[in-house]
Amino acid sequence: MTSSFNEKKAEYQESVNEVVSEQELEYGQDQFIDVNRENAGSSKMAYFNIVCVVAGTGTLGLPVALKQGGWLGIFILFLSWFMSIYTGIILIRCLYANGKARLTTYKEVATAAFGWVGGWVTFFFNAWILLGAPVLYMVLSGTNLNALCKGTVAEIGDVPWTIISCAIVAIPFVLVKSMKEVAWMSAFGAAATLIVVFICLICSAIDKPNRINVHHDAVIWDMFPIALSTISFSFGGNVVYPHVEASMKKPRDWPKVVAAGLSTCAAMYFITAISGYLIYGNNVKSPIYNSIPDGAARIVAIVVITLHVILAAPILVTSFALDVEEMLNISVDRFGKVKEFFLRASVRLLTIAVVGVIACVVPHFGELMSLIGSFANCVLIFVFPVVFYLKLTGVRNKPIYELAWCFLVVLLGLVGLIFGTMESIKELIAVF
């Protein structure tokens, strides 16, 4: 019995050791407190969670990002891919940095690094993404469903369909409690995105002979910041990573899981972005399936991507709700099962109501995606993880090449934040 216990203990310490560097956690401390992983899910489901949340709408907007910034956007896409893997790994390392107990949320990491001010600033940006991305999804879903019903009695308008989409999302959002329980949705969402990528690739290739005198640019400097923000949005998963990693039975697999998930997304991004911009040039539209010819393939693409955003939205709003419930200390231990459920349901219904109202008021997909990407994602993906990591684990113990890399990551994030936000707001004002 003792031998079995010691083996399990050794296996657990080895598991944590893969996630946290020796500089960040002194192993052998028996009192280290991790999250409860007794009923945790597999690394495979965590991988699907990442692909489902990160891919999707980002894939659809990337050809237009190249239209805005030119072919140089491909290089930025490469940089963003590697940088997002790096920041995804170091963000989770920050959760273990105090050597005593695993932190649970992005906000707690910020609080550990810069006190309550850092915590609330980070929570603001977190909320912007975790609510902003579902708003974007509901806008897209409402627009797609109304387009599919064109010419029928079900063509009731974008806003009513947006409200219906929110009601559909509310069902799993209210009933399920953790990321592990919504993981099954992510597998379907990831498959849906892959289907849309192949549909757009095949249809655009068939349509290529009809596209003559298509214009391409090597780089468009005045629009490059907004292209950068759209690309940044495409790798926006950091806000849910702490909850995804907490749902894993084997936390040592996290670096491999996040690298595999983001690489899968990047592969779909390169296929869609290059083929879309190459064939349609400055006439490419966002979402990309609006560029392919009318027909059954386009209808299937719209149906599948609508299914994806409806399945991905609960993952994001669940992550937001878990943060809020943690802050309010809504737990079974404190309130009991019945009262805890009603309190949790109330918080989540209010959350989805806010998402629905904003989605009905700001129905502009492309411009909204750029604003969300530039204002919040650039900070949460490229700036905050690096700053928190260096603050919590030290600067002097890092090699010069890693510090140089960290500087480049932060610089890219700040450029996207400042200039991208300015251009996004201008575009949003213009369409209104």
Side-chain angles (χ1 to χ4, degrees):
M1 186 75 175
T2 304
S3 175
S4 176
F5 172 78
N6 289 334
E7 287 177 4
K8 289 182 178 179
K9 180 181 175 183
E11 182 181 347
Y12 169 77
Q13 288 188 339
E14 181 185 352
S15 172
V16 174
N17 187 39
E18 292 291 333
V19 181
V20 190
S21 67
E22 293 179 0
Q23 298 163 340
E24 296 166 335
L25 182 62
E26 294 179 6
Y27 296 100
Q29 291 185 351
D30 295 335
Q31 68 271 24
F32 184 81
I33 303 172
D34 193 14
V35 294
N36 182 10
R37 300 183 188 271
E38 186 177 348
N39 297 314
S42 66
S43 300
K44 187 180 296 184
M45 295 313 296
Y47 161 81
F48 284 125
N49 264 334
I50 292 172
V51 175
C52 185
V53 169
V54 175
T57 50
T59 314
L60 305 177
L62 281 172
V64 170
L66 295 188
K67 169 188 170 182
Q68 294 168 332
W71 283 117
L72 187 60
I74 294 294
F75 174 68
I76 300 299
L77 190 56
F78 263 108
L79 270 183
S80 298
W81 170 25
F82 289 116
M83 289 177 176
S84 61
I85 292 175
Y86 175 72
T87 58
I89 292 173
I90 64 174
L91 176 62
I92 298 305
R93 286 181 180 175
C94 290
L95 297 176
Y96 297 85
N98 64 22
K100 299 176 182 177
R102 181 194 182 277
L103 304 177
T104 56
T105 65
Y106 206 146
K107 179 177 178 290
E108 286 189 4
V109 171
T111 303
F114 293 102
W116 66 270
V117 174
W120 284 107
V121 169
T122 301
F123 179 76
F124 170 76
F125 283 104
N126 251 11
W128 186 269
I129 283 294
L130 291 175
L131 295 181
V135 166
L136 181 62
Y137 288 174
M138 295 302 96
V139 169
L140 185 60
S141 176
T143 304
N144 285 352
L145 289 170
N146 193 59
L148 289 170
C149 298
K150 190 173 182 179
T152 69
V153 293
E155 189 184 358
I156 55 179
D158 292 352
V159 171
W161 275 115
T162 299
I163 295 172
I164 293 171
S165 299
C166 290
I168 294 171
V169 169
I171 296 171
F173 176 45
V174 171
L175 294 180
V176 303
K177 188 174 181 178
S178 67
M179 294 297 290
K180 177 179 178 288
E181 293 168 303
V182 296
W184 64 271
M185 296 181 184
S186 64
F188 290 104
T193 305
L194 189 60
I195 292 169
V196 173
V197 167
F198 280 112
I199 288 174
C200 292
L201 176 63
I202 294 169
C203 290
S204 58
I206 294 173
D207 194 35
K208 190 178 188 307
N210 301 321
R211 304 292 167 171
I212 55 175
N213 299 324
V214 175
H215 178 72
H216 304 94
D217 292 287
V219 60
I220 305 172
W221 291 115
D222 58 337
M223 289 296 291
F224 195 77
I226 196 169
L228 171 61
S229 66
T230 303
I231 293 170
S232 299
F233 178 85
S234 304
F235 289 99
N238 286 33
V239 287
V240 301
Y241 289 168
H243 297 301
V244 173
E245 194 267 354
S247 72
M248 293 173 58
K249 186 174 292 185
K250 298 179 179 179
R252 67 174 179 272
D253 289 345
W254 174 253
K256 293 183 287 186
V257 168
V258 71
L262 291 176
S263 297
T264 301
C265 296
M268 292 190 284
Y269 291 167
F270 284 118
I271 291 171
T272 310
I274 294 173
S275 63
Y277 185 54
L278 179 66
I279 293 169
Y280 296 104
N282 60 332
N283 296 318
V284 71
K285 299 175 182 178
S286 180
I288 180 59
Y289 51 70
N290 286 336
S291 296
I292 65 178
D294 291 329
R298 182 171 174 176
I299 292 173
V300 171
I302 294 174
V303 170
V304 171
I305 204 63
T306 303
L307 178 65
H308 165 83
V309 297
I310 289 175
L311 292 173
I315 300 174
L316 288 161
V317 285
T318 296
S319 185
F320 174 78
L322 289 171
D323 285 348
V324 173
E325 289 157 18
E326 178 80 20
M327 291 164 54
L328 298 177
N329 195 20
I330 298 175
S331 63
V332 175
D333 294 338
R334 183 182 179 190
F335 294 104
K337 286 187 177 181
V338 176
K339 192 173 181 181
E340 184 267 349
F341 173 78
F342 280 109
L343 287 171
R344 180 162 50 84
S346 299
V347 169
R348 298 191 178 203
L349 286 173
L350 179 62
T351 301
I352 202 68
V354 170
V355 169
V357 169
I358 299 173
C360 293
V361 173
V362 191
H364 296 286
F365 176 80
E367 294 77 14
L368 188 61
M369 185 172 74
S370 296
L371 179 61
I372 291 172
S374 58
F375 183 67
N377 258 4
C378 284
V379 170
L380 292 171
I381 299 171
F382 301 121
V383 180
F384 283 175
V386 173
V387 174
F388 297 160
Y389 176 60
L390 295 178
K391 180 69 167 60
L392 293 173
T393 66
V395 176
R396 294 183 178 180
N397 56 356
K398 305 291 187 297
I400 188 66
Y401 62 84
E402 185 175 8
L403 293 176
W405 175 249
C406 288
F407 174 78
L408 183 60
V409 173
V410 172
L411 180 64
L412 185 71
L414 290 176
V415 169
L417 169 66
I418 297 170
F419 296 101
T421 299
M422 290 168 56
E423 292 297 330
S424 299
I425 292 173
K426 288 178 184 177
E427 286 206 349
L428 203 56
I429 292 172
V431 295
F432 271 105

